[in-house]
């Protein structure tokens, strides 16, 4: 049954007008390229997933690395708050009043 469908599709393609055949061939080539790109992206994603899992296990097994990670997160949060305070410090009194009234 599958072979019958393949032959029917081949017959349909072979009976196409040259312009339509050219378009079909271009779309078929584009489809192959997209499938290849998709396969490469999937392989890359798989590799990255394995790498993330490996690193998570490595961090999970090391208290020092866990503490380093925690401190890095705290530092990032503190720097973000500092930027917010600096931007607020640059506000004019009128802008500060408006901001406070909106809260």
């Amino acid at each position: 049954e599958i072979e019958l469908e393949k032959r029917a599709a081949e017959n349909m393609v072979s009976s196409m007008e040259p312009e339509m055949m050219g378009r079909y061939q271009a779309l078929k080539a584009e489809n192959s390229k997209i499938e290849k790109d998709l396969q490469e992206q999937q392989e890359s994603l798989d590799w990255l997933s394995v790498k993330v899992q490996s690193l998570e296990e490595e961090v999970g097994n090391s208290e020092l690395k866990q503490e380093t990670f925690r401190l890095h997160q705290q530092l990032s949060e503190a720097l973000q708050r500092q930027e917010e305070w600096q931007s607020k410090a640059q506000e004019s009194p009128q802008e500060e009043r408006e901001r406070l009234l909106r809260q």
Side-chain angles (χ1 to χ4, degrees), residues 13-91:
V13 169
S14 65
S15 66
M16 288 181 181
E17 295 179 14
E19 183 179 316
M20 183 71 84
M21 176 71 83
R23 176 135 170 80
Y24 172 80
Q25 294 297 334
L27 290 172
K28 189 174 177 182
E30 183 179 350
N31 185 50
S32 293
K33 182 184 180 307
I34 290 171
E35 285 178 345
K36 181 182 176 197
D37 290 346
L38 176 64
Q39 180 64 31
E40 289 172 0
Q41 293 292 330
Q42 185 63 48
E43 289 172 4
S44 178
L45 178 61
D46 292 344
W47 181 83
L48 289 171
S49 294
V50 168
K51 182 73 173 172
V52 165
Q53 183 178 6
S54 170
L55 291 172
E56 285 176 345
E57 288 174 5
E58 185 179 327
V59 168
N61 293 332
S62 170
E63 290 182 28
L64 180 59
K65 289 181 181 180
Q66 289 176 356
E67 180 67 11
T68 301
F69 180 73
R70 187 182 63 75
L71 290 173
H72 186 270
Q73 284 182 319
Q74 287 179 349
L75 176 61
S76 294
E77 292 169 3
L79 290 173
Q80 184 178 9
R81 283 192 305 272
Q82 180 184 18
E83 287 176 14
E84 290 172 6
W85 291 334
Q86 286 174 346
S87 69
K88 288 178 185 177
Q90 294 174 355
E91 291 179 338

